[in-house]
Amino acid sequence: MKRIALACGIALLGVVLFALVRREPTNRPYVVFGLLSTTWPGKENAERDELRRQGAAVVPVLVDAMRHRSLAERVKWNRRVAALPAWLSSSLPRSGEYAYRRRTATWMLGEMGPAASNAVPALEKYRTTVTDEDLHAQATIALAKIQPGNPVARSNLLAELRSGGQTSRFFLAQELGAIQPFDAGLLTALTLALNDSDGEVRANAAWSASQFGPAARTVVPRLRELLHDSFRHVPVNAAYALVRVAPEQSPEAVETFLKLLEKGVFTADSVAQPLALALGPPATNAIPWLEQCLRRSKGAVPQQVALVALWRIRQQPTPEMLEFLPLLDSPAAIQALGELGPLAAAAEPRLRELTTDTELARREAATEALRQVRPATAVP
């Protein structure tokens, strides 16, 4: 009898422990923890965009997620879970999951911008109490994004970029391109990051420069130097930035990028698509590469992106390009095509078709593109 009672007690304790470990913040949307992931400024993120559409209503959920700590984060938890039978350990979380969730939630608060203004007190407190350098940096970035007109928030970000550790500088340099408005102070910070002693920071700063476009023209000489940087993906990001900041420098940037792509340099594939969509008339030396992409069904640059890139360079379609027009469905490619305005008139039937697509992002991109291509008759 005692053995049965002991077994029941152990089972009950196990159930309670499991419930405590799995306890989550209340009223959480699944997307916050299941689907949402951080992305670099300027890259597509459907889950982030959906949360942005929900507006201020989702902010309390994100604040709860930012603050949440679990029993699973106790010292030696992972080791103890690993010692359990596989059928049981596979259902239990690892402690690192919760730190990642806090980081994602903090990042998402920043992505909400001014719509998350009611999270400012919580973020300010979190910034001053959290000991993790990564999370501290994310809170600093979020406060600067949410309060674009607050000089203190901007000053804290720039000060940390100058004096912070490598982890802080890494994330701050990565997110500089998402901070608005772009002013002299931000330009100084960007220049500082482009000259950082750490290669990862330089690479992230180059990506940020790409987000500011021609407003960052004073860093063009430094970007040209970074095309020959010896650290991994610095030249790749510098080539992309150069195309966006100074389009007339595209031939040099394209030449460098294609050599890096051929060598299989780290991250070249992931930068190939945004770089292709940023190319314009000066980048004629990219045409052979893009035509090759157009004839392949798989590759770093999808056929539809190659199609739009060629359109942007040539400023008019060719019969071969029109043949591939029905493939167009990427929101980024649709947006890039719309920026051509009347020059993309031949794409109007496909854009009208996409305005009834099942995916919201495509419908919105196609509707906006039609306004640019046919301003007077854009919406049926």
Side-chain angles (χ1 to χ4, degrees):
M1 199 69 179
K2 290 182 179 180
R3 289 182 178 178
I4 295 175
L6 179 62
C8 290
I10 293 173
L12 180 60
L13 180 62
V15 170
V16 171
L17 179 62
F18 183 81
L20 286 172
V21 169
R22 297 299 295 180
R23 184 179 65 84
E24 305 286 5
T26 57
N27 301 322
R28 67 178 178 90
Y30 173 70
V31 71
V32 172
F33 299 118
L35 299 177
L36 182 65
S37 60
T38 60
T39 47
W40 287 28
K43 289 203 169 183
E44 293 182 13
N45 189 322
E47 290 75 28
R48 174 202 60 197
D49 294 344
E50 176 56 34
L51 287 177
R52 280 176 170 170
R53 290 187 189 99
Q54 294 182 37
V58 79
V59 171
V61 181
L62 293 169
V63 171
D64 285 346
M66 178 184 73
R67 292 168 166 167
H68 179 65
R69 296 192 69 85
S70 169
L71 180 64
E73 295 181 89
R74 299 285 179 157
V75 177
K76 298 181 182 179
W77 168 263
N78 286 348
R79 187 186 305 172
R80 288 175 177 139
V81 170
L84 295 172
W87 64 267
L88 179 57
S89 64
S90 62
S91 63
L92 293 172
R94 298 300 189 266
S95 59
E97 294 178 22
Y98 295 93
Y100 177 76
R101 291 179 181 184
R102 285 195 294 277
R103 177 176 178 266
T104 303
T106 309
W107 169 82
M108 186 64 226
L109 284 168
E111 293 294 290
M112 299 291 290
S117 58
N118 54 332
V120 167
L123 277 165
E124 287 178 338
K125 182 178 180 180
Y126 190 65
R127 181 179 179 273
T128 58
T129 57
V130 70
T131 56
D132 186 283
E133 187 180 357
D134 180 349
L135 296 174
H136 178 84
Q138 292 297 331
T140 302
I141 294 163
L143 285 165
K145 289 180 181 179
I146 294 169
Q147 307 170 94
N150 186 334
V152 175
R154 178 72 65 95
S155 176
N156 287 338
L157 185 146
L158 300 182
E160 194 160 330
L161 183 62
R162 287 191 297 270
S163 59
Q166 192 276 344
T167 298
S168 289
R169 301 198 321 277
F170 174 92
F171 287 112
L172 290 163
Q174 177 180 302
E175 292 290 338
L176 277 177
I179 306 298
Q180 298 296 330
F182 185 67
D183 57 18
L186 210 54
L187 179 60
T188 299
L190 178 63
T191 304
L192 180 69
L194 288 170
N195 288 280
D196 197 278
S197 59
D198 185 85
E200 297 283 0
V201 176
R202 294 196 301 276
N204 289 3
W207 182 271
S208 285
S210 73
Q211 301 306 298
F212 294 123
R217 287 192 71 88
T218 57
V219 302
V220 167
R222 179 56 179 156
L223 289 174
R224 293 184 68 192
E225 291 175 355
L226 292 177
L227 291 177
H228 309 287
D229 194 284
S230 60
F231 189 85
R232 290 197 267 173
H233 53 285
V234 172
V236 174
N237 286 1
Y240 174 48
L242 202 55
V243 165
R244 295 200 64 183
V245 174
E248 73 279 3
Q249 301 291 334
S250 291
E252 180 184 10
V254 167
E255 181 181 2
T256 300
F257 180 79
L258 292 180
K259 288 179 181 177
L260 296 169
L261 190 65
E262 185 177 350
K263 291 179 181 178
V265 171
F266 183 65
T267 74
D269 277 2
S270 64
V271 176
Q273 180 168 326
L275 182 137
L277 289 175
L279 298 175
T284 54
N285 60 333
I287 289 178
W289 167 55
L290 293 168
E291 287 180 333
Q292 185 180 24
C293 293
L294 195 64
R295 292 190 291 269
R296 292 198 308 246
S297 59
K298 295 181 180 180
V301 176
Q303 291 172 311
Q304 58 182 297
V305 172
L307 161 77
V308 175
L310 285 166
W311 208 313
R312 288 174 68 89
I313 293 170
R314 288 171 166 158
Q315 299 288 289
Q316 60 181 4
T318 64
E320 182 185 27
M321 289 160 60
L322 291 175
E323 178 185 346
F324 284 90
L325 188 57
L327 295 172
L328 187 67
D329 64 3
S330 161
I334 295 167
Q335 179 184 351
L337 190 61
E339 290 169 2
L340 285 166
L343 291 170
E348 185 177 350
R350 176 57 177 159
L351 292 175
R352 288 189 178 279
E353 182 180 340
L354 287 167
T355 60
T356 61
D357 193 271
T358 56
E359 185 179 312
L360 178 60
R362 289 185 190 131
R363 295 200 305 271
E364 291 179 342
T367 300
E368 177 57 30
L370 275 174
R371 290 195 182 98
Q372 295 171 296
V373 173
R374 293 285 188 189
T377 59
V379 182

